[in-house]
Amino acid sequence: MAPPAALLALSFCLSVSDGSILVPLRLFSGNFNFSSAVGLVALRQVALTADGSGLSLASDPTGTVNFLDMVNNLKGDSGRGYYIELSIGTPGQKMNILVDTGSSNFAVAAAPHPFITHFFNTALSSSYQYTGQGVAVRYTQGNWNGELGMDLVSIPEGPNGTFPINIAAILSSEGFFLPDINWQGILGLAYPLLARPDPSVTPFFDSLVQQLGIPDIFSLQMCGAGLSASSTVDAAGGSLIMGGTESTLYTGPVWYTPIVEEWYYQVEVLKLEVGNQNLELDCKEYNTDKAIVDSGTTLLRLPVNVFNALVTAITRSSLIQEFSSGFWDGTKLACWMKGETPWRFFPKLSLYLRATNSSQSFRLTILPQLYIQQITDVDGTLDCFRFGVSSSVNGLVIGATVMEGFYVVFDRAQRRLGFALSNCAVSAGLPLSEIAGPFSAADVASNCSGGVRNEPVLWVISYALIAVCALVLIVLLLLLVVPCRRRNSFGEITDESSLVRHRIK
């Protein structure tokens, strides 16, 4: 059994031709108590039709989709993951599936495992079709192997109907399923470029958009903020709204930032502040080599230089002196006497994202309750907390630490992500997050984004290299020297360039 404070970190190493893409999944295994009330307005039916700009319209009282039916369709928390119930096969077999915006495969356990209660038995489904192709996913710690297939899937608290969906049936695994989780598979909601074994495997949400004709938009509310680790209650943990947004889940306006590249949900971070103090770093450091929004990552992960600057700034502004370095690097917990919460000692953290109007930005702010996270108690006398931020050698990841403060709109139709104040990010009647803007973006470089790593660009680079190589080859042949070798035409997204590395803590 993993210790209560252990932090699971899995990195999907996914083969593409001769290169590889590594997809992060980061979970903390623990038990939390959750309670919140979501105010509901009168029931309304929504026919999901497009208005030309990608927005959903409530135009038909007999429509087949009701957004309010999707409210509270997620369970779990940031530590163990947020999951949704799906019914797979004929007759339907109900499975809990982890919601992950940092990968693109729909994969489900198809064989027994000691850490899961049940699995999808393909032999009992009359509609399951094996495609004849295998799939293997490796992790920094662990792996799984399986087969690609297709079967009918329905979503009890989602759009009505049953849909043929690509499925990766997990037949063997190591280090993927852990003790104390209550899900049996993973629902990747990112773009086809990350799908394994290649982008021809249509991801789950793309299939829904194609088959239902709904707008290419989904939105996510994760309600794990302020959970107590002392309870085993697994209450509703949030909402996944497919096809649009549900106004009862957020307050105020939705602020949008462009999606820089369509593989992960890559965005552009302009600056970070601790309290009201700018870290004063070159904005490119925030985006090296990418900045993504990923529901499958527990913490806010920052490039090493940014992380070090953040810790220095927090230490300087914190009311706590001589604070253990082990707390910052995730190797130690900080404990206080029960009821003596430490949040008043720490400053707010703010991230600025470029707005869709590129000359402007907006600010996401999280209070200490979101990044100084209570995870366990000791002997009923101490409450222990972890630091909800960690360092990363391969990119900035806006994970659950930040996402739990906001209602996040994945507006793929207009290639933008939206953020609004989540109405469940509240503790003792006070909001745990803030959003403000617009601010001028003139004080940062015109382009802060990191390296672009999509295949079309790699094709252009590869052809240029081939052309150069051909010229050199001609010269070398004339000189009777061994000809040059060209590189792979897809280039290579290597372990060092794309992996958001994680450690078990």
Side-chain angles (χ1 to χ4, degrees):
M1 297 287 287
L7 189 62
L8 165 65
L10 303 176
S11 297
F12 293 70
C13 176
L14 307 172
S15 173
V16 185
S17 300
D18 295 332
S20 63
I21 294 179
L22 296 105
V23 183
L25 172 64
R26 182 181 177 83
L27 296 171
F28 168 75
S29 180
N31 294 318
F32 297 98
N33 177 37
F34 170 81
S35 63
S36 72
V38 178
L40 300 182
V41 299
L43 188 68
R44 67 177 183 275
Q45 297 289 332
V46 180
L48 297 184
T49 58
D51 67 350
S53 65
L55 298 178
S56 58
L57 303 178
S59 59
D60 182 359
T62 62
T64 60
V65 176
N66 174 17
F67 286 168
L68 289 177
D69 283 345
M70 303 183 203
V71 170
N72 287 339
N73 61 2
L74 299 183
K75 297 188 184 302
D77 51 62
S78 62
R80 295 167 297 181
Y82 293 86
Y83 55 86
I84 188 170
E85 183 184 77
L86 302 180
S87 179
I88 309 171
T90 306
Q93 301 175 43
K94 290 186 176 181
M95 313 287 290
N96 292 332
I97 307 296
L98 183 75
V99 172
D100 180 29
T101 63
S103 65
S104 299
N105 278 84
F106 173 35
V108 62
H113 189 283
F115 294 152
I116 60 175
T117 56
H118 59 287
F119 64 94
F120 173 52
N121 191 332
T122 59
L124 297 181
S125 174
S126 61
S127 52
Y128 179 75
Q129 299 178 15
Y130 171 46
T131 64
Q133 189 173 11
V135 58
V137 178
R138 299 177 185 86
Y139 312 98
T140 305
Q141 296 98 6
N143 63 81
W144 63 257
N145 291 270
E147 65 181 30
L148 291 178
M150 181 169 285
D151 209 337
L152 299 177
V153 177
S154 62
I155 312 168
E157 295 180 270
N160 292 337
T162 302
F163 321 100
I165 299 290
N166 290 307
I167 298 174
I170 300 174
L171 301 177
S172 63
S173 66
E174 180 181 355
F176 179 65
F177 300 109
L178 293 183
D180 302 321
I181 60 168
N182 193 29
W183 44 266
Q184 300 85 41
I186 186 168
L187 178 60
L189 292 170
Y191 288 98
L193 186 60
L194 296 184
R196 302 302 95 191
D198 59 66
S200 68
V201 178
T202 304
F204 184 98
F205 187 70
D206 294 70
S207 290
L208 287 188
V209 171
Q210 294 169 12
Q211 295 178 51
L212 287 177
I214 63 176
D216 194 7
I217 306 170
F218 66 89
S219 48
L220 188 59
Q221 182 191 52
M222 299 158 64
C223 294
L227 297 181
S228 168
S230 61
S231 174
T232 58
V233 175
D234 201 11
S239 305
L240 172 62
I241 307 299
M242 290 161 273
T245 62
E246 173 49 55
S247 61
T248 63
L249 299 180
Y250 64 92
T251 59
V254 180
W255 294 82
Y256 287 97
T257 185
I259 295 173
V260 175
E261 292 297 330
E262 294 171 307
W263 55 330
Y264 299 98
Y265 292 100
Q266 184 178 345
V267 296
E268 188 177 7
V269 178
L270 302 189
K271 63 180 177 179
L272 268 67
E273 290 179 346
V274 173
N276 295 319
Q277 299 301 310
N278 187 349
L279 291 187
E280 301 292 352
L281 297 175
D282 186 323
C283 68
K284 290 186 182 298
E285 293 205 46
Y286 301 126
N287 301 276
T288 304
D289 60 359
K290 60 185 172 294
I292 65 174
V293 178
D294 178 14
S295 65
T297 293
T298 301
L299 307 182
L300 168 62
R301 294 180 58 81
L302 302 175
V304 175
N305 288 345
V306 179
F307 176 79
N308 291 337
L310 182 91
V311 169
T312 298
I314 293 176
T315 303
R316 188 167 54 241
S317 62
S318 171
L319 299 177
I320 300 175
Q321 302 298 321
E322 303 297 331
F323 210 71
S324 170
S325 61
F327 177 73
W328 307 117
D329 65 25
T331 60
K332 295 182 180 179
L333 301 179
C335 300
W336 281 263
M337 294 300 295
K338 203 163 188 64
E340 195 174 304
T341 57
W343 298 309
R344 67 185 183 278
F345 300 130
F346 294 91
K348 301 176 181 179
L349 302 184
S350 298
L351 296 90
Y352 287 74
L353 300 178
R354 191 179 297 278
T356 49
N357 178 343
S358 61
S359 66
Q360 298 179 336
S361 67
F362 62 92
R363 181 179 65 214
L364 303 178
T365 298
I366 58 173
L367 272 63
Q369 287 90 331
L370 289 177
Y371 75 89
I372 305 298
Q373 301 168 345
Q374 182 179 350
I375 62 170
T376 188
D377 62 6
V378 178
D379 298 329
T381 61
L382 296 176
D383 286 329
C384 295
F385 299 78
R386 69 171 177 182
F387 188 40
V389 186
S390 68
S391 64
S392 164
V393 297
N394 296 100
L396 185 150
V397 185
I398 298 174
T401 292
V402 177
M403 293 182 70
E404 286 177 343
F406 301 93
Y407 183 75
V408 186
V409 179
F410 295 78
D411 186 351
R412 295 148 49 109
Q414 298 195 63
R415 193 169 168 168
R416 62 184 186 173
L417 292 187
F419 293 83
L421 292 178
S422 170
N423 65 9
C424 70
V426 177
S427 178
L430 299 175
L432 301 179
S433 57
E434 301 168 358
I435 190 166
F439 304 101
S440 171
D443 59 338
V444 297
S446 60
N447 180 13
C448 299
S449 60
V452 176
R453 304 184 188 280
N454 62 353
E455 292 189 9
V457 172
L458 291 175
W459 270 106
V460 172
I461 294 173
S462 300
Y463 283 133
L465 290 173
I466 292 170
V468 171
C469 195
L471 291 175
V472 174
L473 178 62
I474 293 173
V475 173
L476 294 178
L477 284 173
L478 292 175
L479 297 175
L480 299 179
V481 177
V482 178
C484 113
R485 291 173 59 187
R486 71 173 178 86
R487 64 178 287 186
N488 178 298
S489 61
F490 277 100
E492 184 179 8
I493 302 178
T494 67
D495 186 83
E496 289 303 317
S497 66
S498 70
L499 174 61
V500 179
R501 290 187 182 276
H502 299 303
R503 306 185 304 275
I504 291 180
K505 296 182 180 177

